[in-house]
Each structure stands twice: as structure tokens, then as C-alpha cells.
Amino acid sequence: MTVPAGRVPGPGARGGEPASGAAGSGAAGSGGGPRPREAGQTAGARAVARALTGVLPAEAILTDPARLRTYDCDGLSHLRVTPGLVVLPETTAQVRAAVLACAEAGVPFVARGAGTGLSGGALPVADGVVIALTRMRRILRVDPADKVAVVQPGVVNTEISAAARPYGLYFAPDPSSQTVCTIGGNVAENSGGAHCLKHGFTVNHVLAATVVLPTGEVVELGSQAPDPVGYDLLGVFVGAEGTLGIATEITVRLTRAPLAVETLLAGFPGVEPAAATVSAIVAAGVVPAAAELMDALAVEAAEAAVGCGYPPGAGAVLLVELDGPRAEVAGALAEVEELCRRHGAFDLRRARDESERAALWRGRKSAFAAVGRISPDYYVQDGVVPRTVLPEALLRIGALAERAGLRVANVFHAGDGNLHPLVLFDAAVPGAAEAAERLAGRILGVCLDLGGSITGEHGVGVEKMAYLAHQFSRDDLDVMQFLRCAFDPAALANPGKLFPTPRLCGEPPGPRRGAHPLQDAGLAELY
Amino acid sequence: MPLTDAVRRDLHALPDVAVVPGDPPTVLPTTVQALAAVLGHAGDFTVAVVGARTSVAPGEPWTAADVVIDTGRLDALLSYDPGELVVRAQAGMPLARLQRTLAEHRQRLALDPEHDRGTLGGVVATGAYGPLRLRHGTVRDQLLGVTAVLADGRVARAGGNVVKNVAGYDLGKLYTGSLGTLGVLAELAFRVAPLPPAHRWLAVPCGLPAAVDLARTVDEAALEPAAAQWYGPGEGGGELWLLFEGTPAAVEDILGQARALAAPFATGAPRSHAAHTRPVPPATADTSARLRLAAPLSRLADLVRHTVARCARLPEAVWTEAAVGVGVATLSLPVSLPAGPSSGWEEALKEVRDLAAPYGGSVVVDTGPGAARLPADPWGSPPDAVALMRAVKDRFDPRHRLNRHRFLEGL
């Protein structure tokens, strides 16, 4: 699991006392002022609990403060908010009951899978409801003839591939947390992974979903058959970060396992020739299944953590994976090896079997956690630049790091320009955490400057809300809000995430009385 | 409502907009700002959006609107860096022209719909695809970013110009296949793919059910064909065309394996060739309408068989093109089909749609350009989420002025 060590709040940290200003959107109050209407909001969560008593089993309704606190963060662990209530439904009907109870009481809810997300997308709303889907983990059907599987949202990503393997099939999206993260979370975040350069993202592999809308209605989006009639609502639901509803049953496409897989690892004197190699590979017409790059600092960390035995003295390590029919892969491998050598690669290694392949990947897969060996704390960033400007992006990140007096280890999906700079800091040093966060933010500025994106796969969540307005204009964001308002007119599904200025939709639906809690808290304006 | 003279005068006066008089008049903006100015005009007129008019999409014809917006002069290439495998262009650029530019750098948009004369905007709005869908997906899978002009003239972007990006809602998915009912596409960014150095087709004579089985066998052998299309009359005698792409040596190697796998399924000798063309309906099968069928892989042959039997009195006059590895098929119906109100179309379509519904399949009627319409609902029963779709339309285009009634359920 790749969670940032980050700053761990003190034992007294609770919801409503956000660990940093960035958490303000999820909390009931902002700026440290007095918390408004605490009793009323607690009453909201209590009302939902009451409404669900007898509908959900008693053990599926958590109200004990100690147990609630275990749901107070996701992988962005320096932001913590204790929810007012946690429910653990096991069926679509139970999810629907929970959402309906929230809708009737006007209480916001946050859906949660394994909580491995790195952008705070599953951060609870103070005194709101967390709907945890971890008990919905049945694989309902694997159909090799139609190449689909139907699964519940709490199924772990790799479990789908395990169930499909006997038929020579697998589920292609492979986020690095895939052994623990759930398909429901993958759908919410449109997860990618190391192999999405060739095989695409979650959205390219989800065919249909049963969705509980924020109004409590249950609809089918998409279809097991291609080209369902009507608007492609599933296409925008995937990646909407839980703001459009909760998927309770998901039909995924299964991919034929390739006949041949070749994994190649090469040491380079520096990052630039390694990045240039990736561009040359792509220019030669080869689309690798994966092209991963680590700089010297990241390699040093991985070496310290897992002893991966990467080429000693390398200024950068490039890992390339090719898959497909044997003849195709053999030709491409020769070409890639030649391009690596031509760009100054030394110590080329090719995996001869599965265990060697795993060994080559071990350093890369452990990289995030490994930086814990060389730094007390770190901040994982996720940004995208056009592939051809990777060297320039790294130079600029290096210069920013130097100016901030901080070290940055770089691990990235070089094939698609997706950077994961790891900003190293020591939280014990006063101001270091803030400096790291500032640096991480400036790195996003570099990504946007170079024509890229503020997030390639971790999502906006609460972490990057403020930066979304740098990537998109007010009009762009307003039009996105049209969609949210069509799905969730009362703004109850994961409010305070994704959009920098949460706004209401101008339609007071349902039995809610008085002002919306977000409006009261000064976090929303009427739209 | 007829267009007022005042509105006509205003449209004529807009900068960067050519107006072709007529009823309805056609306006051709040459910049995104000009397109925004047309839609931002306060006049209460409905708008039809057209590209190259090559599609045979269902719904209300474009002539029913007060004003036609033709995107044909919004056709600039905006940016193309071959090293990025990303291209940006305005929506009125014909697909063929973009492909020529990309081919100069040995790249392509891996999208091969029937008409490459169509515009990029039209390709996105209709969700077009061709045989390459098996390997590369539809335009949905290749659209990275979009700039659309909304019904009120607002210009809004979504997505981006890099292949990996999850910032904000991916509205490109929503616009794809929406037939221009949510916004007018102005600028589009696509991921592009290297042009494979070699490609070979293997045409295997066989019926449709055998073609489905053969495609599955080839898939299980992980030969990764780029396309698997069955062409033929009805669902009987025809050919499965398998496309293999890659380096010359690899393609020859894989073709040999595919040939061996095909033997038990073939009713004649398989042929291989490198032609870029693919079979087209015989000239006699000039069509009045097309039925687009979609089903899970294992149900496609059955749905085609029933549809041919039920909807065509002369099955041999139907031309079928079936993407057997994808689960979609197009049936081209001859002009001679009876089309009167008592021709039984509604009943026939209802029957095959009822057959397809339990497994999520669909049968959609596309109308041939200029031809008489079939007296039947093009879409069938509304999807489960129709109320939500209506809510989306109401938010994006509150007055329903864009391509009114073009989409299902009058959207």
C-alpha cells in the first residue's frame, strides 16, 4: 500500500479541527472560528442512524466514537475528520436505504472503499455519514464467453484478475495499491496504473454499473452490451470521485492475457537520457505496456528498503515492459534494447521468468514506501506533463527543490508523462511540512505551465481543489457543475471535494428545511 | 417558430460568420468566438449542428431547425507534436485530412468509420467507429480533451491535452455520442497511435455463427487481431475478415497461426491480402435504413439471425457487417422495403428489442441520408436512467434549442 507517511495529527485531533487549512472544506467550520450548529448536525447523523435502525443490522451501524475515528482519513492521512456515523451495507438495497436516510435528513455522505486514495477523496464530512462498502466484496459472475465480470464495489482489484485467470483473462487497470484497493474506489477515481499507457484506464474497462444516486434512486448506467442507447453517463460517473452517487454493482471488461511479456531494466547515467529513450521508443512506433522511471534518490531509497539490486551508480533506472503476441514482442524488445544502448544505457537486464520479472519490479513497486527509509516524512505528488518535456520538468522541479531546501525523489510513469515527485521532509522541523506542501504545489504549477495536468491518477479530492481552478476557467467548472446538479441537486454526495467552490444547484428538493448545512457553514453559495 | 428578420440581420452582421441564406439559413463561423456569438445571441431560435452531413444518425432531420450551424470552416489544426502522440484540431476538420497529416509522421487516429469525409466533431457527436474498434476502442477511448460551446454561448473545456489526466469531470465522454444535443463541439484533442509498418487481412469464408466461434478461438490464442469483421448477406454465407498489424515479420508469423486456426471453421480457402479497402454492400443493396445491433459477444449471432428473419422479407437482400469481437453489427436494409404505416415495422422491431433487452442489447434505426424514414421509433424503450439523462439535458441546454428531438425520448 502506498500511503504517504505524512504528518500524523496528535491524539486530540478530531473532526472540525482540521490538521491544515486545506481540510477546511470537509469540516463544518473554516478558519478556526466557532463551530456553528454543532448540535443540529449531530442530530442529523443521529437521525440517519435512527432511520436505519431495523433496516440495517445493528452491527452495520457504527456510532461508537472510537470506531468512527478509524474512518477519519484515507491515504492523505494528514487530513482527518471524524464522521458522525459509519454504515457498512451489504446490499444495494441497504446502500439505497442509507442514502435515502441521508437525503431525507439533508445529511452529506461519503462513500469509501479501502481508503487507499491519496487525494483525500474519502475524507469524511464532519458529522456526515461514511458509507463504507468493504462488506460488499462478492464476485457475482465471471463470464469468459462474454469477457466480463460482475462484481460488488468492495472487491479488491487483484481479486478480479485472480478470478479471471483460469480463463486466460485479467482486469487490466493496475494501480500500485491494487492488492488492497477496491474496484469501487477504482471507478470513483478512474484509476490507472503502470500499464495504462497501452491498456487504458478504469473508464475503458467498465461496461455498466448499478448506481445509487444521491437522491436515493437506483439506476443502471451503461450495459453489458456495447453502445447502450442514451447519454454516456457511465463515462462521466467513472472518475467523478464519488460526487455523483455510489456504484453498488460493477460490470467490468476482462482482457485476454498476452502470450508474451518481456521486462527490461536499464541503468542510465542520468534522468535525461532515460527520458529521451522513452521518447525514442514511442517515436519508433513501439507502444510499451509500461515505461517506468526512477531517479537516483528514488533508487537509493528502494535499495535501502528492499535491496532490489538495481544497477549501482545509476543516475536513473528505466523499466520497460512489452506485451503481446510472441513475434511482435520479440521484435519490439530488440528495438528497445538497441534504443537504450544508443542513449547510453548500461547494465541492461531482461527478466527470464516470472520471478526475475518480480525482482525487476520490486524496487519500483516499493518506491513510495521506501522513501520512508531515507526521510522521516514525505509528500506524494501526482502531476502530468507532455512526455517530450519530461527532462525540462525535472530540471525545474530540481531547481524548485533546491530553492526550498528540500530533497525530491522522482518516480514516474515516463510513457505517459505522469510524474510522482516525492517531497522529503522532517515534520519535527518547524515549518518543514508547510514548506513541503508549498513545494508540492509549485510542482503542479510547473505541470500546468508545461501544458499538463494537476493529476494523472490520484484525483483532485480535497488535496487539489484549489489547483483545479488553475487548470480550468470559471466557465469550465460551471459547466461541470451542471452535471453534478443533474445527479445531486442537494449536494449531498461527497461535498467539499473536487470543486474549489462548492455551490448549490438552485433547486431545494426533498423535505430538507431551512438553509443547507454547507451554506450555513459559509462553504457554499446559492447557484 | 420562424426566424425573425431581426435575428437574420443580426447573424449576418456577426464578424467571422458566413451566412448562406435559406430556410433555414446556414451559418458558418470561422472562429470559436464567432460560434459562441451565434449561440449567445438572445434570439429565441433553435439550432441544428452539422458537420459534413455524412452520418445516418436517427432522430429529427437538421432541416427542422430555425438556424443550421455548419462547423465546416472551423477546421484548423491546432497543435500536433508527433513525439507526444497527441493532436488537437478544430471540430470541423474532416477526419481524412487529419489522417493525411498524421500519416506524414507515420501515425494515425486509430479510428476508421465508414466515412472519413466526416468531420471530427461529427465523429465524436455520433460516437463513430470502424473495424479497428476491436483493438483501439471507439472515439470515446481516444478523445482526451474537448472545448464545447454551450447552448447559451458559453465556451467550456474539459479534459486536457495529455494522455493521462483525471482533473475534473471528463465531459468528453458525455458529449461523445450525444448527437450535438448538449453543446457544439469546437476543439478536440485526441491520442494518436503509431501507424503499424505492416498490415494484412485474412478473409475466411464462413457463416456468422462460425465467425463468432473463430474470432473467439483467435482471441483465446492471444493473437490480438486489430479487427474481426464478418461481412455478408443476411447471416449465412459470408466472410470473416481478420486484421493483423505490426512489424512485417510478426504479421506474417501471426497470419500463419491464424490460418491454421481458421481451417476447421472455413467453408472455402482463406485469402490474405493487404488492401486497405473492406467489403462494401453490393450496389443493389442501396439502403433505406440501417439497424445497429449490440449484444454481448455470445449473443450477437443470435440477435442478428432473429433480426434478419423478422425485419427482412428477403433476407438475402440484407447486408450485414458484424464486429464479432466487439458485439455490434450493422444491417443495411434495401430501399425496396415496405415502409407504410401498416408495414409491421413497429411489431418486428419490438420483438427483436424484447429479445435483446434481457442481456442489455439494443437495436437502433439509423436513417439513410435523404431517404424515407422507417415508420418506427429509432431507439426502442428508454434506458433505465432516462430521467437522469433528461435532467442532464435540462441543465446543459435548458431551452432545448440544440438539435431538438434528435436524441432519444425527444431530447
Side-chain angles (χ1 to χ4, degrees):
Chain A
M1 194 165 102
T2 55
V3 292
R7 282 153 287 161
V8 179
R14 291 286 174 83
E17 297 168 14
S20 88
S25 54
S30 60
R35 299 179 59 195
R37 295 190 355 124
E38 181 171 12
Q41 286 166 9
T42 306
R46 265 208 305 271
V48 174
R50 246 193 333 270
L52 293 176
T53 304
V55 179
L56 266 66
E59 72 273 12
I61 304 173
L62 308 185
T63 53
D64 169 38
R67 295 193 69 187
L68 293 179
R69 268 199 297 279
T70 61
Y71 291 86
D72 68 358
C73 72
D74 61 10
L76 190 74
S77 57
H78 66 268
L79 301 186
R80 289 174 190 255
V81 175
T82 304
L85 179 72
V86 174
V87 295
L88 302 161
E90 290 184 49
T91 63
T92 298
Q94 290 181 356
V95 173
R96 177 169 182 272
V99 170
L100 261 182
C102 289
E104 270 162 28
V107 172
F109 63 88
V110 179
R112 178 190 168 98
T116 57
L118 293 171
S119 58
L123 185 75
V125 174
D127 299 317
V129 176
V130 166
I131 300 176
L133 299 153
T134 37
R135 290 192 182 174
M136 295 184 70
R137 52 179 306 164
R138 280 192 304 141
I139 292 175
L140 301 171
R141 188 158 71 83
V142 175
D143 186 333
D146 291 336
K147 295 171 76 177
V148 299
V150 182
V151 301
Q152 291 187 321
V155 169
V156 168
N157 175 294
T158 43
E159 290 172 352
I160 304 175
S161 289
R165 192 166 300 121
Y167 310 103
L169 300 167
Y170 75 111
F171 180 59
D174 63 338
S176 52
S177 56
Q178 69 179 140
T179 55
V180 278
C181 68
T182 63
I183 180 68
N186 294 169
V187 167
E189 301 293 316
N190 189 18
S191 300
H195 292 84
C196 58
L197 174 61
K198 178 171 178 184
H199 296 287
F201 310 91
T202 300
V203 71
N204 308 110
H205 298 274
V206 171
L207 299 173
T210 303
V211 172
V212 178
L213 297 175
T215 52
E217 290 161 80
V218 179
V219 295
E220 291 293 325
L221 302 184
S223 167
Q224 182 190 323
D227 300 343
V229 299
Y231 295 134
D232 183 5
L233 299 181
L234 181 68
V236 279
F237 180 85
V238 176
E241 305 195 15
T243 61
L244 300 181
I246 302 178
T248 57
E249 199 172 300
I250 298 156
T251 304
V252 300
R253 184 200 311 279
L254 299 173
T255 302
R256 180 65 54 195
L259 267 193
V261 181
E262 289 285 359
T263 309
L264 188 74
L265 185 132
F268 284 85
V271 167
E272 275 134 73
T277 304
V278 175
S279 287
I281 290 169
V282 170
V286 175
V287 180
E292 303 285 303
L293 233 164
M294 294 167 70
D295 71 3
L297 194 53
V299 172
E300 181 196 319
E303 212 61 69
V306 296
C308 48
Y310 281 0
V317 164
L318 175 65
L319 186 72
V320 177
E321 196 154 278
L322 302 159
D323 68 22
R326 265 190 202 97
E328 188 67 44
V329 171
L333 179 70
E335 194 151 9
V336 169
E337 284 181 326
E338 171 55 27
L339 287 168
C340 284
R341 280 196 203 93
R342 209 184 297 162
H343 284 85
F346 57 89
D347 208 348
L348 253 71
R349 303 174 187 178
R350 186 167 73 86
R352 279 166 303 187
D353 54 37
E354 274 309 313
S355 76
E356 288 193 9
R357 185 181 341 280
L360 293 186
W361 272 102
R362 191 162 63 232
R364 167 61 187 90
K365 289 197 167 170
S366 70
F368 284 12
V371 296
R373 294 297 188 98
I374 59 168
S375 173
D377 302 280
Y378 63 97
Y379 195 104
V380 183
Q381 190 50 289
D382 166 46
V384 185
V385 297
R387 174 179 40 243
T388 49
V389 299
L390 266 178
E392 186 187 344
L394 292 171
L395 279 177
R396 289 173 65 172
I397 291 170
L400 286 174
E402 198 164 322
R403 208 175 315 148
L406 291 167
R407 292 191 300 167
V408 174
N410 284 293
V411 177
F412 47 96
H413 309 299
D416 43 35
N418 187 190
L419 307 167
H420 289 310
L422 302 157
V423 180
L424 313 185
F425 66 99
D426 181 354
V429 175
E434 290 71 20
E437 203 167 331
R438 271 199 305 277
L439 173 57
R442 290 203 182 103
I443 290 172
L444 295 183
V446 170
C447 293
L448 288 180
D449 250 17
L450 294 171
S453 169
I454 58 168
T455 173
E457 56 187 4
H458 293 176
V460 175
V462 290
E463 186 198 19
K464 294 183 176 176
M465 278 192 303
Y467 299 100
L468 197 67
H470 297 286
Q471 185 164 344
F472 292 106
S473 73
R474 182 67 182 242
D475 276 346
D476 300 341
L477 295 173
D478 281 352
V479 172
M480 291 180 192
Q481 289 281 348
F482 291 167
L483 186 76
R484 189 184 64 84
C485 290
F487 275 75
D488 183 15
L492 295 179
N494 215 6
K497 311 286 171 66
L498 188 57
F499 293 106
T501 319
R503 305 212 279 175
L504 304 185
C505 301
E507 287 181 358
R512 199 183 65 234
R513 300 279 182 272
H516 190 280
L518 280 172
Q519 218 179 328
D520 259 14
L523 291 167
E525 59 193 85
L526 269 175
Y527 184 56
Chain B
M1 163 188 333
L3 202 57
T4 65
D5 288 341
V7 173
R8 278 180 207 268
R9 274 195 305 274
D10 285 355
L11 293 176
H12 271 282
L14 287 175
D16 301 322
V17 177
V19 180
V20 179
D23 220 1
T26 300
V27 300
L28 297 102
T30 56
T31 65
V32 177
Q33 292 71 26
L35 171 59
V38 172
L39 286 164
H41 186 283
D44 187 17
F45 54 89
T46 61
V47 169
V49 191
V50 300
R53 299 181 174 93
T54 56
S55 95
V56 287
E60 192 80 1
W62 51 269
T63 45
D66 297 328
V67 172
V68 175
I69 294 179
D70 183 327
T71 59
R73 295 197 189 168
L74 272 175
D75 63 346
L77 184 72
L78 299 171
S79 68
Y80 173 41
D81 179 350
E84 286 304 334
L85 299 180
V86 172
V87 68
R88 277 174 64 232
Q90 287 183 324
M93 176 183 278
L95 174 62
R97 200 198 304 164
L98 180 69
Q99 296 286 33
R100 278 196 299 276
T101 303
L102 298 173
E104 287 167 20
H105 300 273
R106 307 211 51 75
Q107 294 184 347
R108 68 175 173 189
L109 183 55
L111 198 66
D112 54 349
E114 183 181 6
H115 295 292
D116 64 2
R117 290 176 290 121
T119 62
L120 299 175
V123 163
V124 173
T126 59
Y129 57 85
L132 286 176
R133 176 174 183 172
L134 178 62
R135 167 75 75 87
H136 295 277
T138 68
V139 65
R140 173 193 199 261
D141 303 296
Q142 297 170 63
L143 182 65
L144 299 175
V146 54
T147 302
V149 181
L150 278 278
D152 60 1
R154 189 191 312 240
V155 180
R157 287 182 311 127
N161 308 319
V162 283
V163 295
K164 201 168 179 182
N165 171 26
V166 293
Y169 290 150
D170 186 3
L171 298 182
K173 299 280 189 298
L174 189 64
Y175 297 131
T176 300
S178 68
L179 299 181
T181 57
L182 297 176
V184 182
L185 301 171
E187 296 178 351
L188 302 161
F190 299 96
R191 67 184 295 168
V192 299
L195 199 57
H199 72 273
R200 298 280 283 177
W201 287 96
L202 183 69
V204 183
C206 60
L208 179 56
V212 170
D213 291 342
L214 173 53
R216 188 174 166 191
T217 303
V218 168
D219 176 52
E220 284 170 352
L223 298 187
E224 298 188 14
Q229 299 280 113
W230 185 84
Y231 300 93
E235 47 101 34
E239 289 182 335
L240 175 65
W241 283 44
L242 294 162
L243 175 63
F244 297 99
E245 298 187 324
T247 57
V251 168
E252 279 312 310
D253 177 85
I254 293 164
L255 201 67
Q257 295 180 52
R259 204 183 272 276
L261 290 176
F265 300 90
T267 55
R271 300 167 289 117
S272 73
H273 58 88
H276 271 288
T277 55
R278 53 194 201 240
V280 291
T284 50
D286 194 12
T287 58
S288 64
R290 291 178 183 186
L291 303 183
R292 283 193 286 117
L293 279 52
L297 298 178
S298 63
R299 309 285 196 149
L300 184 67
D302 188 56
L303 182 59
V304 170
R305 182 164 59 84
H306 275 93
T307 310
V308 169
R310 195 62 189 80
C311 295
R313 302 198 179 160
L314 298 166
E316 63 275 18
V318 178
W319 179 255
T320 304
E321 173 173 358
V324 293
V326 174
V328 295
T330 303
L331 269 53
S332 302
L333 304 175
V335 279
S336 56
L337 276 175
S342 58
S343 56
W345 271 104
E346 286 287 7
E347 295 76 13
L349 281 169
K350 181 175 184 320
E351 211 171 286
V352 292
R353 283 168 173 157
D354 286 349
L355 179 74
Y359 47 72
S362 57
V363 178
V364 172
V365 183
D366 277 354
T367 304
R373 286 159 181 275
L374 285 186
D377 171 14
W379 303 100
S381 320
D384 191 46
V386 68
L388 193 54
M389 292 174 189
R390 190 177 298 282
V392 169
K393 169 73 174 178
D394 289 344
R395 292 280 176 184
F396 277 70
D397 179 14
R399 289 186 290 160
H400 289 220
R401 73 188 307 208
L402 295 176
N403 281 2
R404 185 178 282 182
H405 304 319
R406 189 83 199 261
F407 212 47
L408 56 84
E409 294 295 297
L411 295 180

